[in-house]
Coordinates of all heavy atoms in Angstrom, one line a residue:
M1 N 0.8 -1.2 0.0 CA 0.0 0.0 0.0 C 0.9 1.2 0.0 O 1.9 1.3 0.7 CB -0.9 0.0 1.2 CG -2.4 0.3 0.8 SD -3.3 1.0 2.2 CE -3.3 -0.4 3.3
D2 N 0.5 2.2 -0.8 CA 1.2 3.5 -0.9 C 0.5 4.6 -0.2 O -0.4 5.2 -0.8 CB 1.4 3.7 -2.3 CG 2.9 4.1 -2.7 OD1 3.6 4.3 -1.7 OD2 3.2 4.1 -3.9
L3 N 0.9 4.9 1.0 CA 0.2 6.0 1.8 C 1.0 7.3 1.7 O 2.2 7.2 1.8 CB 0.0 5.6 3.1 CG -1.0 4.4 3.4 CD1 -1.0 4.0 4.9 CD2 -2.3 4.7 2.9
T4 N 0.4 8.4 1.6 CA 1.0 9.7 1.7 C 1.3 9.9 3.2 O 0.7 9.2 4.0 CB 0.1 10.8 1.2 OG1 -1.0 10.9 2.0 CG2 -0.3 10.6 -0.2
F5 N 2.1 10.9 3.5 CA 2.4 11.2 4.9 C 1.1 11.5 5.7 O 0.9 11.0 6.8 CB 3.4 12.2 5.0 CG 3.7 12.6 6.5 CD1 4.5 11.8 7.2 CD2 3.1 13.7 7.0 CE1 4.8 12.1 8.5 CE2 3.3 14.0 8.4 CZ 4.2 13.2 9.1
D6 N 0.2 12.2 5.1 CA -1.0 12.7 5.7 C -1.9 11.5 6.1 O -2.4 11.4 7.2 CB -1.8 13.6 4.9 CG -1.4 15.1 5.0 OD1 -0.5 15.3 5.9 OD2 -1.8 15.9 4.3
E7 N -2.0 10.5 5.2 CA -2.8 9.4 5.5 C -2.2 8.6 6.6 O -2.9 8.1 7.5 CB -2.9 8.5 4.2 CG -3.9 9.1 3.3 CD -3.9 8.4 1.9 OE1 -2.7 8.0 1.5 OE2 -4.9 8.1 1.3
I8 N -0.9 8.5 6.7 CA -0.2 7.7 7.7 C -0.4 8.5 9.0 O -0.8 7.9 10.1 CB 1.3 7.6 7.4 CG1 1.5 6.7 6.2 CG2 2.0 7.1 8.7 CD1 2.9 6.8 5.7
A9 N -0.3 9.8 9.0 CA -0.5 10.6 10.2 C -1.9 10.4 10.8 O -2.1 10.3 12.0 CB -0.2 12.1 9.9
L10 N -2.9 10.4 9.9 CA -4.3 10.3 10.3 C -4.5 8.9 10.9 O -5.1 8.8 11.9 CB -5.3 10.4 9.1 CG -5.6 11.9 8.7 CD1 -6.5 11.8 7.4 CD2 -6.3 12.5 9.9
G11 N -3.9 7.9 10.3 CA -4.0 6.5 10.8 C -3.4 6.4 12.2 O -3.9 5.5 12.9
W12 N -2.4 7.2 12.6 CA -1.8 7.0 13.8 C -2.3 8.2 14.8 O -1.6 8.4 15.8 CB -0.3 7.0 13.7 CG 0.1 5.8 13.1 CD1 0.3 5.6 11.7 CD2 0.4 4.6 13.6 NE1 0.7 4.3 11.4 CE2 0.8 3.6 12.6 CE3 0.3 4.1 15.0 CZ2 1.0 2.3 12.9 CZ3 0.6 2.7 15.2 CH2 1.0 1.9 14.2
D13 N -3.4 8.8 14.5 CA -3.9 9.9 15.3 C -3.9 9.6 16.8 O -3.5 10.4 17.5 CB -5.3 10.2 14.8 CG -5.5 11.7 14.8 OD1 -4.6 12.5 15.2 OD2 -6.6 12.1 14.6
D14 N -4.5 8.5 17.2 CA -4.7 8.2 18.5 C -3.5 7.5 19.1 O -3.6 6.5 19.8 CB -5.9 7.4 18.8 CG -7.2 8.1 18.3 OD1 -7.2 9.3 18.5 OD2 -8.0 7.4 17.7
D15 N -2.2 7.9 18.9 CA -1.1 7.1 19.2 C -1.3 5.7 18.9 O -1.6 5.4 17.8 CB -0.5 7.4 20.6 CG -1.6 8.0 21.6 OD1 -2.4 7.2 22.1 OD2 -1.4 9.2 21.9
V16 N -1.0 4.8 19.8 CA -1.0 3.4 19.6 C -2.5 3.0 19.7 O -3.2 3.4 20.6 CB -0.2 2.6 20.6 CG1 -0.1 1.2 20.2 CG2 1.2 3.2 20.7
P17 N -3.0 2.1 18.8 CA -4.3 1.6 18.9 C -4.5 0.9 20.3 O -3.7 0.2 20.7 CB -4.5 0.6 17.8 CG -3.3 0.8 16.9 CD -2.3 1.6 17.7
L18 N -5.6 1.2 20.9 CA -5.9 0.6 22.3 C -6.4 -0.8 22.1 O -7.4 -1.0 21.3 CB -6.9 1.5 23.0 CG -6.4 2.9 23.3 CD1 -7.5 3.8 23.7 CD2 -5.4 2.8 24.5
E19 N -5.9 -1.7 22.8 CA -6.4 -3.0 22.8 C -7.4 -3.3 23.9 O -7.3 -2.8 24.9 CB -5.3 -4.0 22.9 CG -4.7 -4.4 21.6 CD -3.8 -5.7 21.7 OE1 -4.0 -6.5 22.6 OE2 -2.8 -5.8 20.9
C20 N -8.3 -4.1 23.5 CA -9.4 -4.5 24.4 C -8.7 -5.2 25.6 O -7.7 -6.0 25.5 CB -10.3 -5.6 23.8 SG -11.5 -6.3 24.8
E21 N -9.2 -4.9 26.8 CA -8.6 -5.4 28.1 C -9.3 -6.5 28.7 O -9.0 -6.8 29.9 CB -8.5 -4.2 29.1 CG -7.6 -3.1 28.7 CD -7.6 -2.0 29.7 OE1 -8.5 -1.9 30.5 OE2 -6.6 -1.2 29.7
C22 N -10.2 -7.1 27.9 CA -10.8 -8.3 28.5 C -9.9 -9.4 28.8 O -8.8 -9.5 28.3 CB -11.8 -8.8 27.5 SG -11.1 -9.3 26.0
D23 N -10.3 -10.3 29.7 CA -9.5 -11.5 30.0 C -10.2 -12.8 29.7 O -11.2 -13.1 30.4 CB -9.1 -11.4 31.5 CG -8.1 -12.4 31.8 OD1 -7.7 -13.2 30.9 OD2 -7.6 -12.5 33.0
H24 N -9.7 -13.4 28.6 CA -10.4 -14.7 28.3 C -9.5 -15.9 28.7 O -9.8 -17.0 28.4 CB -10.6 -14.9 26.8 CG -11.5 -13.8 26.3 ND1 -12.9 -13.8 26.4 CD2 -11.3 -12.6 25.6 CE1 -13.4 -12.8 25.9 NE2 -12.4 -12.0 25.4
G25 N -8.4 -15.6 29.5 CA -7.6 -16.6 29.9 C -8.0 -17.3 31.2 O -9.1 -17.1 31.7
D26 N -7.2 -18.2 31.7 CA -7.6 -18.9 32.9 C -6.8 -18.2 34.1 O -6.3 -17.1 33.9 CB -7.2 -20.4 32.9 CG -5.9 -20.7 32.4 OD1 -5.0 -19.8 32.6 OD2 -5.6 -21.7 31.8
D27 N -6.7 -18.9 35.2 CA -6.1 -18.2 36.4 C -4.5 -18.0 36.2 O -4.0 -17.1 36.8 CB -6.2 -19.1 37.6 CG -7.7 -19.1 38.1 OD1 -8.4 -18.2 37.6 OD2 -8.1 -20.1 38.8
E28 N -4.0 -18.8 35.3 CA -2.5 -18.7 35.1 C -2.1 -17.7 34.1 O -1.1 -17.1 34.1 CB -1.9 -20.1 34.8 CG -1.6 -20.9 36.0 CD -2.1 -22.3 35.8 OE1 -1.6 -23.0 34.8 OE2 -2.8 -22.8 36.7
A29 N -2.9 -17.6 33.1 CA -2.4 -16.7 31.9 C -3.5 -15.7 31.6 O -4.7 -16.0 31.5 CB -2.2 -17.6 30.7
Y30 N -3.0 -14.5 31.3 CA -3.9 -13.5 30.8 C -4.1 -13.6 29.3 O -3.0 -13.7 28.5 CB -3.3 -12.1 31.2 CG -4.0 -11.0 30.6 CD1 -5.3 -10.7 30.9 CD2 -3.4 -10.2 29.6 CE1 -6.0 -9.6 30.5 CE2 -4.1 -9.1 29.1 CZ -5.4 -8.8 29.5 OH -6.0 -7.8 28.9
A31 N -5.2 -13.7 28.8 CA -5.4 -13.8 27.3 C -6.5 -12.9 26.8 O -7.7 -13.1 26.9 CB -5.9 -15.3 27.1
P32 N -6.0 -11.7 26.3 CA -6.9 -10.7 25.7 C -7.4 -11.2 24.4 O -6.8 -12.0 23.8 CB -6.1 -9.5 25.6 CG -4.7 -9.9 25.5 CD -4.6 -11.2 26.3
C33 N -8.6 -10.7 23.9 CA -9.1 -11.1 22.7 C -8.3 -10.5 21.5 O -8.4 -11.0 20.4 CB -10.6 -10.7 22.6 SG -10.9 -8.9 22.4
G34 N -7.6 -9.4 21.7 CA -6.7 -8.9 20.7 C -7.4 -7.9 19.7 O -6.8 -7.4 18.9
R35 N -8.7 -7.7 20.0 CA -9.5 -6.8 19.1 C -9.1 -5.3 19.6 O -8.7 -5.1 20.7 CB -11.0 -7.0 19.2 CG -11.3 -8.0 18.1 CD -12.8 -8.3 18.2 NE -13.2 -8.9 19.4 CZ -13.3 -10.2 19.5 NH1 -13.3 -10.9 18.4 NH2 -13.7 -10.8 20.6
R36 N -9.5 -4.4 18.8 CA -9.3 -3.0 19.2 C -10.4 -2.5 20.1 O -11.5 -2.7 19.9 CB -9.4 -2.1 17.9 CG -9.2 -0.7 18.1 CD -8.1 -0.2 17.1 NE -8.0 1.2 17.3 CZ -7.8 2.1 16.5 NH1 -7.7 1.7 15.2 NH2 -7.6 3.3 16.8
A37 N -10.0 -1.8 21.2 CA -11.0 -1.3 22.2 C -11.7 -0.1 21.6 O -11.1 0.7 20.9 CB -10.2 -0.9 23.4
K38 N -13.0 -0.1 21.8 CA -13.8 1.0 21.3 C -14.6 1.7 22.4 O -15.2 2.7 22.2 CB -14.9 0.4 20.3 CG -14.4 -0.2 19.1 CD -14.4 0.8 18.0 CE -14.3 0.2 16.6 NZ -13.1 0.2 16.0
W39 N -14.6 1.1 23.6 CA -15.4 1.6 24.6 C -14.6 1.8 25.9 O -13.8 0.9 26.3 CB -16.6 0.8 24.9 CG -17.5 0.5 23.7 CD1 -17.3 -0.5 22.8 CD2 -18.5 1.3 23.2 NE1 -18.2 -0.3 21.8 CE2 -19.0 0.7 22.1 CE3 -19.1 2.4 23.7 CZ2 -20.1 1.3 21.3 CZ3 -20.2 3.0 23.0 CH2 -20.6 2.4 21.9
R40 N -14.9 2.9 26.6 CA -14.4 3.0 28.0 C -15.5 2.6 28.9 O -16.6 3.2 29.0 CB -13.9 4.4 28.4 CG -13.4 4.6 29.7 CD -13.1 6.1 30.0 NE -12.1 6.6 29.0 CZ -10.8 6.4 29.2 NH1 -10.3 5.7 30.2 NH2 -10.0 6.8 28.2
V41 N -15.4 1.5 29.6 CA -16.5 0.9 30.3 C -16.2 0.9 31.8 O -15.2 0.5 32.3 CB -16.6 -0.6 29.9 CG1 -17.8 -1.3 30.6 CG2 -16.7 -0.7 28.4
T42 N -17.2 1.5 32.5 CA -17.1 1.5 34.0 C -18.1 0.4 34.5 O -19.2 0.3 34.1 CB -17.7 2.9 34.5 OG1 -16.9 3.9 33.8 CG2 -17.4 3.0 36.0
I43 N -17.5 -0.5 35.3 CA -18.2 -1.6 35.8 C -18.4 -1.5 37.3 O -17.4 -1.4 38.1 CB -17.5 -2.9 35.5 CG1 -17.2 -3.0 34.0 CG2 -18.2 -4.1 35.9 CD1 -16.3 -4.1 33.6
D44 N -19.6 -1.4 37.8 CA -19.9 -1.5 39.2 C -19.7 -2.9 39.8 O -19.9 -3.8 39.1 CB -21.4 -1.1 39.5 CG -21.7 0.4 39.1 OD1 -20.7 1.2 39.1 OD2 -22.8 0.7 38.8
C45 N -19.3 -2.8 41.1 CA -19.1 -4.1 41.7 C -20.4 -4.9 41.8 O -21.4 -4.3 42.1 CB -18.6 -3.8 43.2 SG -18.6 -5.4 44.2
T46 N -20.4 -6.2 41.4 CA -21.6 -7.0 41.4 C -21.5 -8.1 42.4 O -22.4 -8.9 42.5 CB -21.8 -7.6 40.0 OG1 -20.7 -8.3 39.6 CG2 -22.2 -6.6 39.0
C47 N -20.4 -8.2 43.2 CA -20.4 -9.3 44.2 C -21.0 -8.9 45.5 O -21.1 -9.8 46.4 CB -18.8 -9.7 44.3 SG -17.9 -8.5 45.4
G48 N -21.4 -7.7 45.6 CA -22.1 -7.3 46.9 C -21.2 -6.9 48.0 O -21.6 -6.5 49.1
E49 N -19.9 -6.8 47.7 CA -18.9 -6.4 48.8 C -18.5 -4.9 48.6 O -17.6 -4.5 49.3 CB -17.7 -7.3 48.8 CG -18.1 -8.7 49.4 CD -16.8 -9.5 49.4 OE1 -15.7 -9.0 49.7 OE2 -17.0 -10.8 49.2
D50 N -19.2 -4.2 47.8 CA -19.0 -2.8 47.8 C -17.5 -2.4 47.4 O -17.0 -1.5 47.9 CB -19.3 -2.1 49.1 CG -20.1 -0.9 48.9 OD1 -20.6 -0.7 47.8 OD2 -20.2 -0.1 49.9
H51 N -17.0 -3.1 46.4 CA -15.7 -2.7 45.8 C -15.8 -1.5 45.0 O -16.9 -1.2 44.5 CB -15.1 -3.9 45.0 CG -14.8 -5.1 45.7 ND1 -15.5 -6.4 45.5 CD2 -14.0 -5.3 46.7 CE1 -15.0 -7.3 46.3 NE2 -14.1 -6.7 47.1
P52 N -14.7 -0.8 44.8 CA -14.8 0.3 43.9 C -15.0 -0.1 42.5 O -14.7 -1.3 42.1 CB -13.3 1.0 44.0 CG -12.5 -0.1 44.6 CD -13.4 -1.0 45.4
R53 N -15.6 0.8 41.7 CA -15.9 0.5 40.3 C -14.6 0.3 39.6 O -13.6 0.9 39.9 CB -16.7 1.5 39.6 CG -17.5 2.4 40.5 CD -17.9 3.6 39.8 NE -19.3 3.4 39.4 CZ -20.0 4.1 38.5 NH1 -19.4 5.2 38.0 NH2 -21.2 3.8 38.2
T54 N -14.6 -0.5 38.5 CA -13.4 -0.7 37.7 C -13.7 -0.1 36.4 O -14.8 -0.1 35.9 CB -13.0 -2.2 37.5 OG1 -14.3 -2.9 37.1 CG2 -12.6 -2.8 38.9
V55 N -12.6 0.4 35.7 CA -12.7 0.9 34.4 C -11.9 0.0 33.4 O -10.7 -0.2 33.7 CB -12.2 2.3 34.3 CG1 -12.3 2.9 32.9 CG2 -13.0 3.2 35.3
E56 N -12.5 -0.5 32.4 CA -11.8 -1.2 31.4 C -12.1 -0.7 30.0 O -13.1 -0.1 29.7 CB -12.3 -2.7 31.5 CG -11.8 -3.4 32.6 CD -12.2 -4.9 32.6 OE1 -12.6 -5.4 31.5 OE2 -12.1 -5.6 33.7
L57 N -11.0 -0.9 29.1 CA -11.3 -0.5 27.7 C -11.6 -1.8 27.0 O -10.9 -2.8 27.0 CB -10.0 0.1 27.2 CG -9.4 1.3 27.9 CD1 -8.1 1.7 27.3 CD2 -10.5 2.4 28.0
L58 N -12.8 -1.8 26.4 CA -13.3 -3.1 25.8 C -13.7 -2.8 24.3 O -14.1 -1.7 23.9 CB -14.6 -3.5 26.5 CG -14.3 -4.0 28.0 CD1 -15.6 -4.5 28.6 CD2 -13.2 -5.0 28.2
C59 N -13.6 -3.9 23.6 CA -14.1 -3.9 22.2 C -15.6 -4.1 22.3 O -16.2 -4.5 23.4 CB -13.5 -5.0 21.4 SG -13.9 -6.6 21.9
T60 N -16.3 -4.0 21.2 CA -17.8 -4.0 21.2 C -18.3 -5.4 21.6 O -19.2 -5.5 22.4 CB -18.3 -3.7 19.8 OG1 -17.8 -2.4 19.4 CG2 -19.8 -3.7 19.7
K61 N -17.6 -6.5 21.1 CA -18.0 -7.8 21.5 C -17.9 -8.1 23.0 O -18.8 -8.6 23.5 CB -17.2 -8.8 20.7 CG -17.8 -10.1 20.7 CD -17.2 -11.1 19.8 CE -17.8 -12.5 19.9 NZ -16.8 -13.5 20.1
C62 N -16.8 -7.7 23.6 CA -16.6 -8.0 25.0 C -17.5 -7.1 25.9 O -17.9 -7.5 27.0 CB -15.1 -7.8 25.4 SG -14.1 -9.0 24.6
L63 N -17.8 -5.9 25.4 CA -18.8 -5.1 26.1 C -20.1 -5.8 26.1 O -20.8 -5.8 27.1 CB -18.9 -3.7 25.4 CG -20.1 -2.8 25.8 CD1 -19.9 -2.5 27.3 CD2 -20.2 -1.6 25.0
R64 N -20.5 -6.3 25.0 CA -21.8 -7.0 24.9 C -21.8 -8.3 25.9 O -22.7 -8.5 26.6 CB -22.1 -7.5 23.5 CG -23.5 -7.4 23.1 CD -23.8 -7.8 21.6 NE -23.3 -6.8 20.7 CZ -22.7 -7.2 19.5 NH1 -22.6 -8.4 19.2 NH2 -22.2 -6.2 18.8
T65 N -20.7 -9.0 25.9 CA -20.6 -10.1 26.8 C -20.6 -9.7 28.2 O -21.3 -10.3 29.0 CB -19.2 -10.8 26.6 OG1 -19.1 -11.1 25.2 CG2 -19.1 -12.1 27.3
A66 N -19.9 -8.6 28.6 CA -20.0 -8.1 30.0 C -21.4 -7.7 30.4 O -21.8 -7.9 31.5 CB -19.0 -6.9 30.1
R67 N -22.1 -7.0 29.4 CA -23.5 -6.6 29.7 C -24.3 -7.8 30.0 O -25.2 -7.8 30.9 CB -24.1 -5.9 28.5 CG -23.7 -4.4 28.4 CD -24.9 -3.6 27.9 NE -24.7 -2.2 28.3 CZ -24.4 -1.3 27.5 NH1 -24.2 -1.5 26.2 NH2 -24.3 0.0 28.0
K68 N -24.1 -8.9 29.3 CA -24.9 -10.1 29.5 C -24.6 -10.8 30.9 O -25.4 -11.2 31.5 CB -24.6 -11.1 28.3 CG -25.7 -12.0 28.1 CD -25.8 -12.6 26.7 CE -24.6 -12.9 26.0 NZ -24.3 -14.2 25.4
D69 N -23.2 -10.8 31.1 CA -22.8 -11.4 32.4 C -23.2 -10.6 33.6 O -23.6 -11.2 34.6 CB -21.3 -11.6 32.3 CG -20.8 -12.7 31.4 OD1 -21.7 -13.4 30.9 OD2 -19.6 -12.8 31.2
L70 N -23.0 -9.3 33.5 CA -23.1 -8.5 34.7 C -24.5 -7.8 34.9 O -24.8 -7.3 35.9 CB -22.0 -7.5 34.8 CG -20.6 -8.2 34.8 CD1 -19.5 -7.2 34.6 CD2 -20.3 -9.1 36.0
G71 N -25.1 -7.6 33.8 CA -26.3 -6.9 33.7 C -26.1 -5.5 33.3 O -25.1 -4.8 33.6
D72 N -27.1 -4.9 32.6 CA -27.0 -3.5 32.0 C -26.8 -2.5 33.2 O -26.0 -1.5 32.9 CB -28.3 -3.2 31.4 CG -28.3 -3.6 29.9 OD1 -27.2 -3.8 29.4 OD2 -29.3 -3.7 29.3
E73 N -27.4 -2.7 34.3 CA -27.3 -1.6 35.4 C -25.8 -1.5 35.9 O -25.4 -0.4 36.4 CB -28.2 -2.0 36.6 CG -29.5 -2.5 36.2 CD -29.5 -4.0 35.9 OE1 -28.9 -4.8 36.7 OE2 -29.9 -4.4 34.7
A74 N -25.0 -2.5 35.8 CA -23.7 -2.5 36.4 C -22.7 -1.8 35.4 O -21.6 -1.5 35.8 CB -23.2 -3.9 36.8
I75 N -23.2 -1.6 34.2 CA -22.2 -1.2 33.1 C -22.5 0.2 32.6 O -23.6 0.4 32.2 CB -22.2 -2.3 32.0 CG1 -22.0 -3.6 32.6 CG2 -21.3 -1.8 30.9 CD1 -20.8 -4.3 32.1
T76 N -21.5 1.0 32.5 CA -21.7 2.3 31.8 C -20.6 2.3 30.8 O -19.4 2.2 31.1 CB -21.4 3.5 32.8 OG1 -22.2 3.2 34.0 CG2 -21.9 4.8 32.2
A77 N -20.9 2.6 29.6 CA -20.0 2.5 28.4 C -20.0 3.9 27.7 O -21.1 4.5 27.4 CB -20.4 1.5 27.4
R78 N -18.8 4.5 27.5 CA -18.6 5.6 26.7 C -17.7 5.3 25.5 O -16.7 4.6 25.7 CB -18.0 6.7 27.4 CG -18.9 7.2 28.5 CD -18.6 8.7 28.8 NE -19.5 9.0 30.1 CZ -19.1 8.8 31.3 NH1 -17.8 8.5 31.5 NH2 -19.9 9.0 32.3
P79 N -18.1 5.8 24.4 CA -17.2 5.5 23.2 C -15.8 6.2 23.4 O -15.8 7.3 24.0 CB -17.9 6.2 22.0 CG -19.1 6.9 22.5 CD -19.3 6.6 24.0
L80 N -14.8 5.5 23.0 CA -13.4 6.1 23.1 C -13.1 7.3 22.1 O -13.6 7.1 21.0 CB -12.4 5.0 22.9 CG -12.2 4.1 24.1 CD1 -11.3 3.0 23.7 CD2 -11.6 4.8 25.3
Ligands
ZN101 ZN1 -16.8 -6.7 44.3
ZN102 ZN1 -12.4 -7.9 23.6

């Protein structure tokens, strides 16, 4: 591909592409899905112990999975 400098600059606008921070691994290994993060997601504690909310950068697919797992009320998503 032959890109002009402007096109390259635009492509790298947001410094490094942000990767989804989901964890599909087991207890021993961290295994992110490798997709590009699109959402800044705030997750309320759902275990009932009043932990602070966590913030994760997630791709659309993992956001959907998180919504399904934790429920819509626990999740606040903003586009990155
Ligand atoms: Zn908790
Ligand atoms: Zn993901």
Side-chain angles (χ1 to χ4, degrees):
M1 230 204 295
D2 228 346
L3 295 175
T4 66
F5 177 78
D6 274 351
E7 282 169 322
I8 293 166
L10 277 176
W12 291 93
D13 214 2
D14 300 321
D15 17 78
V16 187
L18 295 161
E19 266 193 31
C20 177
E21 291 179 341
C22 62
D23 187 358
H24 298 282
D26 51 27
D27 290 343
E28 272 136 59
Y30 173 67
C33 70
R35 274 181 290 264
R36 180 131 180 214
K38 295 266 203 259
W39 304 92
R40 181 182 302 277
V41 182
T42 309
I43 304 172
D44 292 335
C45 170
T46 52
C47 76
E49 287 184 34
D50 226 14
H51 294 118
R53 336 168 95 192
T54 53
V55 178
E56 287 186 15
L57 305 179
L58 295 181
C59 69
T60 303
K61 191 168 179 232
C62 293
L63 170 61
R64 220 177 288 143
T65 309
R67 278 219 158 107
K68 205 155 37 128
D69 287 352
L70 304 171
D72 272 340
E73 318 79 57
I75 306 242
T76 313
R78 288 209 191 91
L80 282 173

